Structures are given as C-alpha cells and as structure tokens.
Amino acid sequence: DVKVTQSSRYLVKRTGEKVFLECVQDMDHENMFWYRQDPGLGLRLIYFSYDVKMKEKGDIPEGYSVSREKKERFSLILESASTNQTSMYLCAGRGGAGELFFGEGSRLTVL
Amino acid sequence: SQKIEQNSEALNIQEGKTATLTCNYTNYSPAYLQWYRQDPGRGPVFLLLIRENEKEKRKERLKVTFDTTLKQSLFHITASQPADSATYLCALYSGGYQKVTFGIGTKLQVIP
C-alpha cells in the first residue's frame, strides 16, 4: 500500500499569510491529489499531478497553487490565505487499480 | 453534470444486523466504483473497489454490488459491530489519469 504523510495535522494562520501544506508518499506512484473537505460538501478536488512538474486543475483551484518538484512530494500553496479557506486538506496518492491512499489530513484555520 | 448521491442522513442499526448503504450516480460511466471508510478527523481509508464488469465483490464482512444499468452500488456490512461506526464514502473513477469523484458519504452508527 501507498503510505502518504502530511507534514502538519493542525495549523492556524492569519488572513493574508502564505501557507504551505506538504505531502510525501513512500511509493513510486505518479499520481497525487489535493482535496479539501467541508461539512455538507464532501471531498472536492483542488489540484492533481500525474508526474513530476505536471499539474492539472481540479474542481476548485482558485486561490491555490501546487508544486511537484520530486515524484514523492506534492505541495499545496495558499498564496494569501483567506477565512473561506479554513478547511480539512487531504493529500492522496493513487495505487495501481485507481484506489486512493490518503494522508491523515491537515486541518487549517485561517483567522 | 456528474452527480453522486448517498444516503445523506445517518443510518442507525443494531449490532449484529446487516447495514446497507446506497450510492447512486448520474451522468457518469465509471470503470471502477470505490468505497472508503472515514473516521472523525482522519483521512479516508480505502476499503474495496468493484469494476464495471463485476456484479459483486466480497471482502470479509463487506459486500459490494454494482449495477451499471441502474447506476447504483450497494455496500453491505454483515454482522455489524460498534467498531464499524464511521462515515462511508462512495467514489467513481473512469480510469487512466482521470480524477476520482466522491459522494458526501453516509454516517453509520451501530448501536450495541
């Protein structure tokens, strides 16, 4: 199984701050994903990457960017955090049959 | 647009009974249908998947059916236990580099 590790479980940031969420997977899988999860809205895809330096917008990319410099690492960046970006952020790697392996999540609060 | 519907209300059942969760979808032709379990404050955990040419899949106390004509999957947990209490997510995947799309989940509570 793919093991996915997210660097921070809980973060509190102020409006306007730049926020980095880091994600590392321990398998040589190409596809990685960033979702956010909010009550009543479920999991929504922000960005995904199918290879190093490749990225694709998901359903809600506005206000976010990503970086994939190495195969095992996929970072989500909030250039200027806003209160509506308070959420649970989940990173995932994709296994051979398309199944996703998620990290434990990063709960971000923007004040 | 693509839509996935799960019983959005919580499902309460008695310990030992079979829990049945439903996933319906529209405007989609998935190659795979996946089920995940999510505990509060944690990331989803993959349970099992079923392919479009499969009718049924089993894993221990779990059983999944997939009807591409009805555009529906049923997820069963037999001999349910309080430890099965969690939110269960249905997800659709078309294959290749396509994204995985999730339903909002059904919260299952197994009462001792």
Side-chain angles (χ1 to χ4, degrees):
Chain A
D1 289 351
V2 178
K3 181 164 174 59
V4 177
T5 303
Q6 293 184 232
S7 56
S8 305
R9 287 279 280 139
Y10 301 96
L11 303 95
V12 179
K13 299 291 182 180
R14 297 212 173 268
T15 301
E17 278 193 80
K18 192 168 185 175
V19 182
F20 292 88
L21 300 178
E22 305 285 345
C23 176
V24 177
Q25 53 129 339
D26 69 350
M27 298 291 286
D28 194 30
H29 286 281
E30 295 172 344
N31 297 180
M32 295 186 76
F33 302 79
W34 274 106
Y35 288 85
R36 65 177 280 179
Q37 187 174 33
D38 301 286
L41 295 176
L43 282 154
R44 293 181 291 166
L45 182 64
I46 305 171
Y47 267 97
F48 64 105
S49 169
Y50 50 85
D51 206 347
V52 176
K53 297 192 186 295
M54 306 298 284
K55 61 184 181 184
E56 292 286 338
K57 292 181 180 179
D59 300 315
I60 52 162
E62 297 77 20
Y64 303 94
S65 63
V66 290
S67 173
R68 184 102 182 263
E69 295 297 318
K70 293 183 178 181
K71 197 170 214 176
E72 68 271 18
R73 190 177 296 270
F74 190 37
S75 303
L76 181 69
I77 303 154
L78 288 66
E79 293 289 342
S80 178
S82 63
T83 55
N84 64 11
Q85 291 179 310
T86 291
S87 188
M88 169 72 101
Y89 290 88
L90 291 156
C91 176
R94 177 138 67 193
E99 70 277 30
L100 297 185
F101 296 93
F102 284 89
E104 286 290 359
S106 298
R107 184 165 291 283
L108 172 66
T109 302
V110 183
L111 303 175
Chain B
S1 61
Q2 298 167 354
K3 195 173 179 182
I4 304 173
E5 290 183 347
Q6 297 187 249
N7 328 39
S8 56
E9 295 132 13
L11 179 65
N12 296 325
I13 64 162
Q14 210 66 35
E15 182 177 4
K17 301 290 187 185
T18 296
T20 299
L21 284 65
T22 305
C23 175
N24 294 296
Y25 60 92
T26 56
N27 298 324
Y28 209 114
S29 296
Y32 305 85
L33 193 142
Q34 307 169 352
W35 285 90
Y36 295 78
R37 169 186 172 136
Q38 187 174 25
D39 292 290
R42 313 293 291 270
V45 174
F46 171 73
L47 294 175
L48 72 172
L49 66 83
I50 186 165
R51 293 173 172 80
E52 61 179 338
N53 59 352
E54 296 176 317
K55 295 291 185 189
E56 184 179 296
K57 199 82 167 281
R58 292 176 185 260
K59 180 182 176 182
E60 297 171 354
R61 292 185 296 113
L62 308 180
K63 184 178 88 170
V64 172
T65 62
F66 192 12
D67 189 325
T68 54
T69 302
L70 290 178
K71 295 186 182 297
Q72 182 181 78
S73 175
L74 299 179
F75 177 81
H76 307 272
I77 305 176
T78 58
S80 59
Q81 304 164 1
D84 295 325
S85 298
T87 295
Y88 291 87
L89 306 171
C90 160
L92 305 180
Y93 170 53
S94 296
Y97 292 123
Q98 298 301 309
K99 63 183 181 181
V100 177
T101 303
F102 286 82
I104 66 170
T106 298
K107 187 174 182 179
L108 173 68
Q109 185 80 27
V110 181
I111 303 162

